[in-house]
Amino acid sequence: MPVQPLFGGAISIDIPQGMVDISNFREVPDNQEVFANADTDQSVIVEILESIEQQSHEAIKFHFEQLAETNEAPNIHIIKTEDVKVDGIPLAYMLVGQQQIAKFNEHEQGENSVLVVLALLRVPDHTTDILVSLNAPTSVSKHSSSYKNIDKLQVDASKATDQFLEMLHTFKINDYSLFG
């Protein structure tokens, strides 16, 4: 996994091979860095947010539910939440979950089952929450535009979670002035 500078180099993380920076193709909000692999339909998103009131596992569940709402996911399932260790981050949590998500305008018939591995990295001295997520399809509807790549898409949840943890352990804040 190559090291990827984020937010002008203020943060760095190793991004899985084959992922490309989506901002080269479309507009991405200033508080996000988005990478995707067109062959596997996997994506990695790093997002900087203002800290929320909820604590520990309740906070990461809240973010997961907000993500599901944004994705218009009719069905979600939290598989597990746990504390994780990330160098330089005092509070870090991981959630592994599943969401039924349709791409673009393929609602209902084109819903895919997507593994969402989400980390919440809290930077309390700067009242900041950093979300790092890996989205990986585990089953694809035959009505989805992604179905043409079915052989490359479906991933093993355990392997995807291990890959995410490997990536997360390379996360580093290089410049705290990013948070104001």
Side-chain angles (χ1 to χ4, degrees), residues 60-76:
I60 196 165
K61 288 176 184 176
F62 174 84
H63 284 297
F64 179 75
E65 290 164 358
Q66 290 294 302
L67 179 62
E69 190 175 305
T70 299
N71 289 337
E72 298 179 12
N75 298 308
I76 66 171

Side-chain angles (χ1 to χ4, degrees), residues 4-13 15 19-24 26-36 43-48 130-135 167 171 178:
Q4 180 68 47
L6 307 174
F7 304 104
I11 294 175
S12 60
I13 192 170
I15 299 293
M19 295 268 179
V20 295
D21 187 342
I22 293 301
S23 68
N24 293 328
R26 65 177 168 91
E27 196 166 324
V28 172
D30 290 343
N31 69 320
Q32 291 183 353
E33 296 276 359
V34 181
F35 300 87
S43 63
V44 170
I45 301 169
V46 179
E47 184 172 15
I48 298 173
I130 301 170
L131 293 177
V132 181
S133 62
L134 170 68
N135 303 291
M167 178 183 71
F171 182 91
L178 172 68

Side-chain angles (χ1 to χ4, degrees), residues 48-52 120-130 179:
I48 298 173
L49 300 168
E50 188 173 324
S51 187
I52 60 171
L120 170 59
L121 312 178
R122 305 203 96 168
V123 188
D125 291 347
H126 298 277
T127 60
T128 299
D129 284 348
I130 301 170
F179 311 118

